[in-house]
């Protein structure tokens, strides 16, 4: 197991009520010696540096099941952190109204959920998050794809039930990465995570992710934060159960 250990520190924030949060900071060996990063600073053995570029990443809002309290915190962080890039790793919309899994579960396509209302909520959230950084990127997740699956069954509606159109994204100034496609920024690889990774052995998904894409891969979809082999998962910003 020692071969997969990750070196770093845990920074614990405690408020006057005794509530606490833990920030995990990896320590890497770089050209400047052992190096870590905390908030908007890069800390080496001998100096503290400003990063060339800063990214803020969230994932899995599942609107209209998003958590406004979580998004408010992310909004406040952006005001202080001032990221260059904002990236959402997918499933920004839950798309319950077009979820074919629910059709199979209920034995009917009659779902008591408004597609228009879900999309209006998604457009509101994306418009808010687009103010966080000058460059915005959205990776489509499997839930975002449900509207496309629905349009494939009813092609006469495909111009209306289009992900970009129905969510009002065409004029949002946001780069859309299609489902199962990766986005690379510098040496960081971003994916939603709805991938089978065929041919990879082992039961731990982050190990498969590392063997497929290498380190510095960041994904959503899993709904929980984790780190292994310098690959990372980002927790959800919604209210779904973490089962």
């Amino acid at each position: 197991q020692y071969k997969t250990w990750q070196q770093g520190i845990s920074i614990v924030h405690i408020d006057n009520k005794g509530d606490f949060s833990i920030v995990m900071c990896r320590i890497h060996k770089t050209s400047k010696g052992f190096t870590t990063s905390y908030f908007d600073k890069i800390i080496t053995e001998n100096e503290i540096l400003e990063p060339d570029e800063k990214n803020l990443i969230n994932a899995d809002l599942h609107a209209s099941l998003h958590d406004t309290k979580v998004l408010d915190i992310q909004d406040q962080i952006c005001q202080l952190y001032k990221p260059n890039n904002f990236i959402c790793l997918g499933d920004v919309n839950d798309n319950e109204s077009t979820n074919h899994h629910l059709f199979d579960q209920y034995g009917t396509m009659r779902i008591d959920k408004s597609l228009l209302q879900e999309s209006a909520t998604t457009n509101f959230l994306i418009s808010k998050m687009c103010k966080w950084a000058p460059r915005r990127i959205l990776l489509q997740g499997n839930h975002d794809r449900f509207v496309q699956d629905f349009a494939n069954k009813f092609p006469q509606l495909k111009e209306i039930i289009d992900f970009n159109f129905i969510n009002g994204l065409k004029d949002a100034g946001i780069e859309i990465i299609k489902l199962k496609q990766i986005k690379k920024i510098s040496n960081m690889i971003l994916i939603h995570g709805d991938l089978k990774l065929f041919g990879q052995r082992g039961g731990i998904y982050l190990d498969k992710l590392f063997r497929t894409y290498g380190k510095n891969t960041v994904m959503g979809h899993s709904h929980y934060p984790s780190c292994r082999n310098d690959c990372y998962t980002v927790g959800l910003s919604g209210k779904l159960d973490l089962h």
Side-chain angles (χ1 to χ4, degrees):
Q1 290 290 328
Y2 74 94
K3 292 182 179 180
T4 61
W5 287 355
Q6 303 278 267
Q7 304 293 332
I9 57 175
S10 299
I11 298 177
V12 182
H13 293 256
I14 305 175
D15 64 18
N16 55 11
K17 297 180 181 179
D19 295 327
F20 67 91
S21 60
I22 301 173
V23 180
M24 308 298 293
C25 299
R26 271 289 274 128
I27 297 176
H28 293 270
K29 187 70 176 292
T30 71
S31 60
K32 296 183 178 295
F34 287 106
T35 304
T36 190
S37 175
Y38 178 67
F39 200 64
D40 63 345
K41 296 293 185 290
I42 297 171
I43 304 165
T44 74
E45 294 180 16
N46 301 308
E47 58 185 337
I48 298 177
L49 305 171
E50 297 285 342
D52 295 328
E53 194 171 72
K54 295 179 288 185
N55 304 291
L56 185 131
I57 304 172
N58 71 1
D60 298 274
L61 281 76
H62 288 277
S64 55
L65 299 174
H66 59 285
D67 193 325
T68 55
K69 294 179 180 179
V70 170
L71 292 178
D72 284 345
I73 292 172
Q74 293 173 2
D75 187 52
Q76 293 175 60
I77 288 173
C78 286
Q79 293 178 35
L80 296 172
Y81 185 59
K82 294 180 173 56
N84 302 94
N85 306 310
F86 161 64
I87 305 108
C88 179
L89 294 180
D91 283 358
V92 64
N93 193 329
D94 192 60
N95 276 321
E96 185 178 347
S97 58
T98 56
N99 188 335
H100 60 87
H101 297 300
L102 293 180
F103 297 161
D104 295 339
Q105 180 181 337
Y106 298 154
T108 178
M109 294 179 67
R110 294 178 62 89
I111 303 293
D112 187 20
K113 197 78 172 183
S114 168
L115 171 62
L116 189 60
Q117 184 59 53
E118 283 185 308
S119 300
T121 301
T122 301
N123 176 260
F124 173 79
L125 294 174
I126 288 178
S127 298
K128 179 182 178 69
M129 294 187 295
C130 276
K131 299 176 183 178
W132 290 353
R135 183 186 184 192
R136 289 86 64 174
I137 301 168
L138 171 64
L139 283 73
Q140 285 187 330
N142 51 299
H143 277 256
D144 302 319
R145 192 203 63 212
F146 289 160
V147 288
Q148 185 59 52
D149 294 340
F150 193 89
N152 290 340
K153 292 182 179 179
F154 302 96
Q156 64 269 36
L157 300 175
K158 66 180 180 180
E159 291 87 2
I160 299 173
I161 306 178
D162 171 79
F163 178 79
N164 291 350
F165 176 77
I166 196 68
N167 291 294
L169 303 184
K170 290 195 174 182
D171 299 318
I174 187 168
E175 181 182 355
I176 307 294
I177 308 300
K178 292 185 178 181
L179 182 69
K180 299 185 187 297
Q181 301 298 309
I182 70 169
K183 177 65 180 180
K184 191 168 184 180
I185 299 178
S186 187
N187 66 341
M188 177 174 62
I189 295 174
L190 301 157
I191 62 172
H192 173 62
D194 183 34
L195 301 166
K196 296 296 184 184
L197 301 182
F198 292 109
Q200 293 290 3
R201 295 175 287 104
I204 298 176
Y205 196 88
L206 283 176
D207 286 348
K208 297 179 182 180
L209 204 65
F210 171 73
R211 290 195 295 267
T212 302
Y213 296 107
K215 62 183 182 180
N216 299 327
T217 301
V218 185
M219 80 168 208
H221 188 61
S222 63
H223 292 186
Y224 60 86
S226 62
C227 169
R228 184 176 171 90
N229 286 326
D230 291 320
C231 293
Y232 304 85
T233 61
V234 177
L236 85 166
S237 300
K239 295 180 178 180
L240 295 176
D241 292 334
L242 300 181
H243 56 270

